Amino acid sequence: MGRAPCCDKASVKKGPWSPEEDAILKTYIEQHGTGGNWIALPQKIGLKRCGKSCRLRWLNYLRPNIRHGGFSEEEDDIICSLYISIGSRWSIIAAQLPGRTDNDIKNYWNTRLKKKLLGKQRREQADRRASLKQEIMTKREINESFMVPGTIPHQESPYWPDVQAIVMNQNQDSHLMDQESIRDLLDKLGGRLYDDNQGPYLFTKFNNYSLEGSSRQDQVLYTNSVDMLSSSAPMRSMDSTCCSQFPNSNHNRPNMSQDGLESLLVELGGLACSNPQHVEGLESFYGMDMAASGSTGASSAESNSWGNISSLGYPQLVSDYETCLQSMPQDSSFEDSSFFGRPQ
DNA sequence: AAATGTTACAACCGCGTTCAA
DNA sequence: ATTGAACGCGGTTGTAACATT
């Protein structure tokens, strides 16, 4: 047995709102408010509309101080940062952008922003690939100049680096895969993994933001997002669950040693095999199109319709966050910062 | 100029949550 | 404690406008 309908579907009008309907609804709400009951409102004012439809029309279109279109670069940045951090919590994201509605932001993200971001990411990957290829070609030329006469001058198979070659390459030329690159990749794989100064921790700083009426989950996410936005440091979103994903890696140290890079790369390669949704982060790293190499689930960013934006960190963060909530003592004060305290 | 494809956005739908009776 | 109505949210759909062939 399904849920009872909120209104008589047969007698309500659907589709676009007419200017007359808008005027009726707007005038009434401006004079009397919603009366706290959207379901009853349309009958009260003689509109053949569902109460939910009236609410949506008011919130997304008729409400005062609503802005449509013309998103600024700053707003783009905020939306992207929050999406990467908390995912499609559009109402929370909208709360950070005065005059914007969740529906507007959602549409803007789905139609433009994710494509814009995808284009940017691809350009960066192409740049990295090009510079790596150039590096390899240079080394190859140097090697050939030292070639012993009589040996085979050229291999028939195309020269393309394997992981080992890249590891060796980066060990010799640290600028190719420096700490910034590692950090960048780890960010993509697991969210902002550590603090520049303090090491990894999750929800460590918990300020009392005003969130009346928000659920506890929303408060965590909101607070975390505000924290991230107000901080110049990378977002602190790493917890023990996330750390365990890279048990042998050095990413939780502010200064990663070069001798740790090789083992980390091997781990990352393994992660790419076991967790295809993270491949997009790795392909630029390895300088090859891993996403096109046949792994399931991430065979094409196009066919995925940008499902892989999540590879920039959201899934891991959310699972960590949920794990965090589950392990949270129910009777503990939510403001008790000791619960979220940094690892010693 | 017509057909077809793409984009942008308004609106709808269903489900989880909240809250009052 | 239970129940059901209403709310709020996020995913999805419908469609008009625009672009391309």
Side-chain angles (χ1 to χ4, degrees), chain A residues 163-311:
Chain A
V163 173
Q164 185 67 28
I166 292 170
V167 169
M168 291 173 67
N169 198 36
Q170 67 80 24
N171 277 341
Q172 290 162 18
D173 304 291
S174 60
H175 69 275
L176 258 186
M177 194 171 292
D178 54 18
Q179 291 181 14
E180 276 306 310
S181 303
I182 298 287
R183 185 174 306 181
D184 184 47
L185 176 63
L186 288 172
D187 279 355
K188 289 177 179 178
L189 286 169
R192 290 355 185 231
L193 297 178
Y194 58 86
D195 183 288
D196 273 339
N197 304 312
Q198 306 293 340
Y201 57 97
L202 175 68
F203 305 142
T204 300
K205 186 175 158 191
F206 196 85
N207 296 323
N208 294 321
Y209 295 97
S210 174
L211 285 168
E212 269 185 39
S214 299
S215 70
R216 189 170 155 201
Q217 292 185 355
D218 284 351
Q219 289 183 15
V220 175
L221 292 171
Y222 176 87
T223 304
N224 202 26
S225 305
V226 172
D227 190 18
M228 175 193 71
L229 287 171
S230 62
S231 168
S232 59
M235 181 180 169
R236 289 153 286 207
S237 62
M238 187 81 171
D239 72 352
S240 56
T241 315
C242 192
C243 286
S244 66
Q245 196 170 353
F246 308 101
N248 300 318
S249 65
N250 298 309
H251 63 265
N252 57 346
R253 290 208 308 250
N255 297 302
M256 183 184 293
S257 64
Q258 287 296 317
D259 60 8
L261 290 173
E262 185 170 349
S263 62
L264 174 57
L265 266 179
V266 171
E267 283 185 58
L268 294 176
L271 178 63
C273 296
S274 64
N275 197 351
Q277 74 189 118
H278 285 153
V279 161
E280 206 169 307
L282 286 169
E283 60 183 308
S284 63
F285 216 65
Y286 284 130
M288 60 185 83
D289 199 345
M290 294 176 70
S293 66
S295 61
T296 57
S299 59
S300 160
E302 289 295 339
S303 65
N304 258 355
S305 71
W306 188 248
N308 276 335
I309 181 64
S310 57
S311 71

Side-chain angles (χ1 to χ4, degrees), chain A residues 125-143:
Chain A
Q125 287 172 8
D127 289 348
R128 285 187 194 181
R129 258 178 247 179
S131 70
L132 181 60
K133 199 171 180 178
Q134 182 60 48
E135 192 80 25
I136 289 159
M137 293 302 284
T138 305
K139 288 187 179 303
R140 183 181 170 186
E141 283 165 14
I142 293 168
N143 286 342

